[in-house]
Coordinates of all heavy atoms in Angstrom, one line a residue:
L107 N 84.6 166.1 220.1 CA 84.8 167.5 220.5 C 83.7 168.5 219.9 O 83.8 169.7 220.2 CB 86.2 168.0 220.1 CG 87.3 167.2 220.7 CD1 88.7 167.7 220.1 CD2 87.4 167.3 222.3
W143 N 117.1 172.7 228.0 CA 117.4 171.4 227.4 C 119.0 171.3 227.1 O 119.5 170.2 227.4 CB 116.7 171.3 226.0 CG 117.3 170.2 225.2 CD1 118.0 170.3 224.1 CD2 117.1 168.8 225.5 NE1 118.3 169.1 223.6 CE2 117.8 168.1 224.4 CE3 116.5 168.1 226.5 CZ2 117.9 166.7 224.4 CZ3 116.6 166.7 226.4 CH2 117.3 166.0 225.4
G252 N 107.3 174.6 256.6 CA 107.6 173.7 257.7 C 107.4 172.2 257.5 O 107.4 171.4 258.5
E546 N 112.6 194.2 275.1 CA 111.1 194.2 275.2 C 110.5 193.6 273.9 O 109.8 194.3 273.2 CB 110.5 195.5 275.5 CG 110.9 196.0 276.9 CD 110.3 197.4 277.2 OE1 109.8 198.0 276.2 OE2 110.3 197.8 278.3

Side-chain angles (χ1 to χ4, degrees):
L107 300 174
W143 167 252
E546 296 182 346

